[in-house]
Amino acid sequence: MRHAAAAIAVPVATTVAMLYARLVASLTGPGPRRLAALLPAMALLPVLPLALPYYSYRGFSAFVFVWLGEFKLLLLAFGRGPLDPALRPLPFVFTAALPVKLVDPAAAAGASRPPPTAATFKFVVSFAIKVGAMAAIVRVLHAKEEMHRYTAFALNAVFIYCFLDTVLRGLGAAGGALGMEMEPQFDRPYLSASLQDFWGRRWNLMASAVLRAAVYDPVRARSGAPAAGVLTAFLVSGLMHEVVILYMTSQAPTGRVTAFFALHGACVCAERWWCARRCEARPPRAVAAPLVLGFVAGTAFWLFFPEIYGGGMDDLYLAEMTRFAKSLGLCGRWTGENKF
């Protein structure tokens, strides 16, 4: 009963908060006065994840509300970012409350699109593959006592990608059914030809867009140095990941996740410096993509994943996924059990 109440209360509270934000933004101009009027909605968002029953749910909702939601409202306060009070209520709430971004009509006008039937087929196939992969991973992780730690990390990394891509594609499809066209949030990150390509154009593009508008652009404009904007954006990303992980684990941050993003920020700056001078020396994608993914995975195994899955949290997430699968009647398929 408590879980059902939370499942209803959180979306309702979010919708009310975002409708209030739209009303405030339509009645006040950008600046400190609008920011002050938005504070009640901004104060509510960090509380919402705590109402959810599972740690993994809290982590995802913290990413949506505490990171993206707060940054979107902060940008709205100063007339920037993806939110516009001129939007109709449904698109405004959908964009403000979820990790999605409406397609820019000007950009979409000249873009080529696949036929609707082909796009639907591609979505269904991708969805089926990723759900099947997640089910297989959960099943394999039940035997992780016999598994090397880094193998478990790698499987969890694939699960995170499949989960995020499936959820975000599903939200995009829901928006499309409601007459809203959404930008894709992942663009085949396994094909990344560089770290800049991975973080800026292929992985979690909503977070990249928010960080670009809220952090990179202002810091670059003030300092005149693109590298300062890159380093600051990665530092802020690291700090916000620490906040999300705090919601997931209820354990004090150690700084390792911030160190992960600071390291990648420094590497992106070094990569940009090198490419500006030796652009012709770039390796082909077939060589670069495995190197990029290897570096991301290696540093994540070292600094990122131990903070999420260490201290027994991996067992807790697995138990939550099993309970969720059981509630859907999928326990035997997901865990390999023959009966409940």
Side-chain angles (χ1 to χ4, degrees):
M1 183 66 71
R2 176 177 172 269
H3 295 178
I8 296 172
V10 170
V12 170
T14 304
T15 301
V16 171
M18 295 313 180
L19 288 174
Y20 167 79
R22 178 178 179 272
L23 176 63
V24 164
S26 65
L27 296 176
T28 58
R33 185 162 168 259
R34 180 187 285 183
L35 175 61
L38 287 172
L39 288 179
M42 297 177 72
L44 175 65
L45 294 183
V47 179
L48 295 178
L50 301 176
L52 297 173
Y54 294 152
Y55 284 93
S56 48
Y57 290 6
R58 292 177 193 171
F60 182 71
S61 60
F63 164 67
V64 173
F65 298 140
V66 184
W67 182 356
L68 297 184
E70 294 283 7
F71 274 57
K72 287 177 182 179
L73 292 183
L74 183 62
L75 287 167
L76 174 65
F78 296 97
R80 304 179 61 194
L83 300 181
D84 186 342
L87 288 171
R88 291 179 291 110
L90 180 59
F92 185 94
V93 171
F94 204 86
T95 308
L98 297 171
V100 296
K101 184 181 179 184
L102 294 173
V103 169
D104 182 357
S112 60
R113 297 186 185 86
T117 304
T120 302
F121 177 77
K122 183 178 179 181
F123 169 78
V124 171
V125 171
S126 175
F127 182 86
I129 291 173
K130 290 183 172 67
V131 170
M134 288 189 288
I137 289 169
V138 171
R139 190 166 182 167
V140 170
L141 286 175
H142 270 274
K144 72 181 180 61
E145 291 78 6
E146 308 166 12
M147 189 182 299
H148 191 279
R149 185 188 189 200
Y150 283 178
T151 303
F153 284 170
L155 289 173
N156 279 302
V158 175
F159 185 94
I160 288 175
Y161 167 64
C162 290
F163 173 78
L164 289 175
D165 192 50
T166 299
V167 170
L168 296 176
R169 281 177 182 267
L171 292 174
L178 295 171
M180 299 174 287
E181 188 174 359
M182 302 292 166
E183 293 185 1
Q185 297 307 309
F186 289 90
D187 184 15
R188 298 168 297 173
Y190 44 83
L191 296 180
S192 301
S194 65
L195 285 175
Q196 186 177 359
D197 187 29
F198 179 88
W199 291 114
R201 292 184 285 271
R202 294 186 179 274
W203 179 264
N204 201 355
L205 300 181
M206 185 69 255
S208 298
V210 167
L211 286 169
R212 187 177 297 112
V215 181
Y216 175 79
D217 289 343
V219 171
R220 178 180 179 178
R222 182 174 291 272
S223 67
V230 171
L231 291 172
T232 307
F234 272 91
L235 178 62
V236 171
S237 179
L239 293 173
M240 294 312 300
H241 275 83
E242 299 273 15
V243 171
V244 171
I245 292 172
L246 175 61
Y247 277 87
M248 292 177 68
T249 65
S250 298
Q251 296 174 5
T254 64
R256 288 166 64 94
V257 172
T258 303
F260 169 81
F261 283 95
L263 172 63
H264 277 257
C267 290
V268 167
C269 290
E271 186 181 78
R272 287 162 60 109
W273 179 88
W274 174 262
C275 288
R277 289 157 178 77
R278 295 288 186 90
C279 189
E280 71 284 352
R282 291 183 181 181
R285 188 180 299 274
V287 175
L291 293 176
V292 170
L293 293 184
F295 181 77
V296 172
T299 52
F301 292 170
W302 171 35
L303 295 169
F304 189 84
F305 289 124
E307 299 303 295
I308 301 178
Y309 297 109
M313 292 305 299
D314 51 349
D315 293 325
L316 188 149
Y317 303 142
L318 190 60
E320 289 183 349
M321 286 186 282
T322 302
R323 287 201 298 272
F324 178 71
K326 185 174 181 179
S327 70
L328 298 178
L330 300 174
C331 189
R333 299 177 189 176
W334 280 56
T335 68
E337 299 171 5
N338 294 323
K339 59 182 179 180
F340 294 158

